[in-house]
Amino acid sequence: MRTIEIFDTTLRDGEQSPGVNISTNEKVEIALQLEKLGVTRIEAGFAAASPGDQKSVAEVAKRVKNSTIVSLARAVKDDMDKAYEALRNAENASLHVFLATSPIHREFKLNMSKEQVLQRAVEAVTYAKKYFKEVQFSAEDAARTEIDFLKQVVEAVIKAGATTVNIPDTVGYMTPIEYGNIFRELKKVPGADLIRLSCHCHDDLGMAVANSLAAIEGGATQVEGTINGIGERAGNAALEEVALALETRKDYYQATTKLNLKEIARTSQLVSRLTGMIVPGNKAVVGANAFAHESGIHQDGVLKNVTTYEIIRPESVGFKSNKLVLGKHSGRHAFKEKLVELGFNLEQEEVNAAFAAFKILCDKKKEITDDDILALVDTKMERGPEAFQLESVQLAYGNISVPTASVRLLRADGSVCEEAACGNGSVDSIYKAIDRATGEDVTLVDYKILSVTHGKDALGEVYVRLQQGDLSVTGRGVSTDVLEASAVAYIRAVNKILERRNESMPVAVN
């Protein structure tokens, strides 16, 4: 039985999803959860893309101990130098250097000949080996590269010292048979049996997972992807789907991963919350309907024997029924134990803040579920300096009157600003008042309301996406009052814009 190594790029390729902007502390939280999941390699970012990215990579490298931390870099010395600086405190570090190889990229993007590409690739790997024991080389757009030239490149970088060679289907163009055959050919390259052959698939034609599995059949020993399949354009291969396909069909693939599958649900939910990218109900493995049965025939079969219609048990990936286990009479110790059970590892100060918020929630809700606590703690752990915080919001609304909102915001320096505005509705008036108070000119691109649990007193989760020039960010707010949650989400998005405006935007690659 072969073991397939997992390379997670949620923090790099996943963050390239339009509108996603993950703070440094949020990246650390996701990375620690990926470590708990059992991911072999975590691509923490692209250190040379911006000062913020370099800081995030460095912080993840400092905190994660069991997974190898990776930074992306172009085949440019300055990129590799910055990656080394960011990774110098990592327990285990690796550089991921890339260079395009396909005819269309050589001609239109690089303006380089085959010989020049080959030389640059070898020089980059040779330079990287001065810093790193582990070096991964990616032939960007490898799937559309002439196979003879691709074999030439792979052989050359192996000789230069690459320990992993990645063959990305950068634009999601391949079919499973075609992609699998590329790996069969590359296995013939001298030295290929001594390194990792990695696959990296995009989902433009909906075949990222199928192509990844085909690559494994063809000889790939590492799979790259993201949690929930997020990423550039249509996204990447969803790692949870690849892992469950291998686990469920061991008889066919004769391969498995070292992932702790029971951490999949928690990881999926965390990534969804912190990125603002909602998991579709019909999403395989982690969707809300993945283990739901509505058809009478299906229900009858499952009641008689679950294997009639379930090939994956929900418990195997970490799902369980929500129960009322905590309430307003629960103590701090029981609350802390529940946090540990739910996968949180918080400092005492963070536990105290979450517990105080939990007690406030207990006065508003009769039943506190695991999902309530997850949403509450994730919100209270909102990271980074905040230019503005919501102190209060007041509304005047009637079906025959003009909605009016007044907001009171607290600035980082302790000063207060108050503004009021009218709008087409309650949310519109709140947002116009916040615009006046912050002085920021932003455009609301998307607005979503979700119910964390069921019932009239359910927590409401609000996600917004704001645009300002080229900047596109998300914000999230949680409250039993959806209007308060709407205000909090909007302010957090504004704060992200203010923080991001001083940084260079990440470079989109792979």
Side-chain angles (χ1 to χ4, degrees):
M1 186 76 67
R2 288 195 299 146
T3 298
I4 305 301
E5 298 185 34
I6 298 297
F7 180 111
D8 181 278
T9 184
T10 302
L11 300 179
R12 199 274 299 170
D13 213 334
E15 196 189 19
Q16 289 175 199
S17 304
V20 172
N21 179 12
I22 315 172
S23 72
T24 296
N25 287 333
E26 289 168 340
K27 283 192 174 187
V28 170
E29 187 177 354
I30 292 172
L32 291 173
Q33 179 59 32
L34 292 172
E35 181 182 36
K36 191 179 293 186
L37 177 63
V39 169
T40 313
R41 289 171 187 81
I42 300 171
E43 190 166 50
F46 186 177
S50 71
D53 237 31
Q54 188 167 19
K55 177 186 173 186
S56 295
V57 173
E59 196 60 32
V60 170
K62 193 189 304 180
R63 296 287 300 277
V64 174
K65 302 302 179 186
N66 299 316
S67 302
T68 296
I69 304 304
V70 184
S71 174
L72 188 69
R74 292 168 295 189
V76 176
K77 288 182 179 180
D78 185 59
D79 276 24
M80 292 185 270
D81 291 341
K82 286 178 178 173
Y84 172 69
E85 285 301 316
L87 293 170
R88 60 165 58 241
N89 293 318
E91 196 82 21
N92 302 289
S94 174
L95 183 72
H96 179 191
V97 61
F98 72 95
L99 182 66
T101 56
S102 68
I104 193 165
H105 279 239
R106 293 196 308 263
E107 180 180 355
F108 295 105
K109 190 176 85 169
L110 300 178
N111 193 26
M112 293 170 66
S113 66
K114 286 183 179 179
E115 293 72 25
Q116 289 171 317
V117 167
L118 194 60
Q119 181 181 350
R120 176 76 67 83
V122 170
E123 288 174 350
V125 173
T126 303
Y127 187 79
K129 288 295 284 188
K130 290 174 24 180
Y131 289 140
F132 299 94
K133 183 179 177 182
E134 275 201 29
V135 174
Q136 172 167 314
F137 176 81
S138 278
E140 188 184 7
D141 205 24
R144 294 192 294 175
T145 300
E146 309 95 316
I147 190 63
D148 288 339
F149 179 57
L150 185 60
K151 289 167 78 171
Q152 231 183 317
V153 172
V154 170
E155 183 175 359
V157 296
I158 291 174
K159 286 180 179 177
T163 53
T164 302
V165 178
N166 180 36
I167 309 299
D169 182 16
T170 301
V171 293
Y173 182 73
M174 288 287 99
T175 64
I177 291 175
E178 289 176 310
Y179 194 58
N181 284 339
I182 291 174
F183 285 84
R184 291 183 182 90
E185 285 296 313
L186 294 180
K187 291 292 287 183
K188 301 173 186 176
V189 170
D193 57 331
L194 303 176
I195 56 109
R196 299 178 198 89
L197 271 180
S198 186
C199 60
H200 179 116
C201 298
H202 281 261
D203 209 32
D204 297 71
L205 294 177
M207 291 189 282
V209 171
N211 283 340
S212 298
L213 294 170
I216 291 170
E217 289 184 86
T221 53
Q222 177 175 279
V223 173
E224 302 187 13
T226 59
I227 300 300
N228 299 336
I230 67 173
E232 196 82 60
R233 304 183 311 280
N236 291 253
L239 288 175
E240 66 278 1
E241 295 180 23
V242 174
L244 263 294
L246 294 179
E247 176 68 19
T248 307
R249 295 304 312 273
K250 283 180 183 175
D251 60 319
Y252 179 80
Y253 290 107
Q254 292 296 301
T256 187
T257 70
K258 290 184 178 179
L259 293 186
N260 178 0
L261 301 181
K262 290 187 177 180
E263 291 292 334
I264 283 178
R266 164 70 181 144
T267 311
S268 168
Q269 291 162 354
L270 179 66
V271 169
S272 176
R273 284 191 179 97
L274 296 186
T275 61
M277 298 192 73
I278 311 303
V279 177
N282 65 334
K283 166 79 171 62
V285 182
V286 293
N289 298 337
F291 305 102
H293 305 278
E294 185 168 328
S295 161
I297 296 172
H298 285 219
Q299 290 172 347
D300 179 63
V302 168
L303 288 171
K304 290 174 179 174
N305 187 315
V306 292
T307 60
T308 54
Y309 288 102
E310 279 189 8
I311 60 170
I312 306 167
R313 297 293 298 134
E315 296 85 359
S316 69
V317 294
F319 284 110
K320 60 181 181 179
S321 60
N322 289 313
K323 296 179 181 178
L324 177 61
V325 291
L326 292 177
K328 65 180 180 179
H329 299 297
S330 299
R332 193 182 308 270
H333 183 263
F335 179 73
K336 187 174 181 179
E337 288 300 310
K338 169 54 68 174
L339 293 180
V340 172
E341 179 188 325
L342 293 175
F344 291 104
N345 184 20
L346 308 184
E347 299 295 333
Q348 190 58 47
E349 187 178 332
E350 294 172 317
V351 172
N352 292 341
F355 183 67
F358 164 72
K359 284 294 189 179
I360 293 171
L361 181 62
C362 287
D363 288 332
K364 296 179 179 179
K365 285 196 81 212
K366 285 179 64 178
E367 297 185 353
I368 310 297
T369 67
D370 287 357
D371 280 342
D372 287 322
I373 296 171
L374 283 167
L376 181 73
V377 176
D378 281 339
T379 304
K380 285 300 166 187
M381 290 175 65
E382 200 65 36
R383 329 331 173 226
E386 293 186 314
F388 298 97
Q389 290 184 26
L390 179 68
E391 191 165 277
S392 66
V393 56
Q394 298 287 333
L395 283 160
Y397 173 79
N399 63 345
I400 57 172
S401 61
V402 178
T404 305
S406 62
V407 296
R408 181 181 170 90
L409 305 185
L410 185 65
R411 296 190 184 95
D413 62 6
S415 61
V416 170
C417 52
E418 292 182 280
E419 284 290 348
C422 298
N424 294 327
S426 298
V427 173
D428 186 48
S429 61
I430 290 171
Y431 288 174
K432 285 179 177 175
I434 293 173
D435 288 342
R436 288 183 178 179
T438 62
E440 292 296 318
D441 182 15
V442 297
T443 301
L444 179 64
V445 178
D446 195 14
Y447 174 87
K448 297 187 186 79
I449 299 179
L450 298 173
S451 174
V452 174
T453 51
H454 303 289
K456 293 178 181 179
D457 59 356
L459 277 177
E461 240 178 339
V462 175
Y463 291 90
V464 301
R465 179 178 295 172
L466 300 185
Q467 186 89 28
Q468 186 184 73
D470 293 333
L471 289 174
S472 179
V473 302
T474 58
R476 171 176 170 265
V478 176
S479 173
T480 50
D481 182 341
V482 293
L483 295 177
E484 180 186 1
S486 299
V488 170
Y490 196 86
I491 291 168
R492 284 181 177 156
V494 169
N495 286 334
K496 284 185 178 181
I497 284 177
L498 293 172
E499 182 183 359
R500 199 68 183 266
R501 206 155 57 193
N502 296 323
E503 298 177 358
S504 300
M505 293 298 291
V507 180
V509 293
N510 258 10

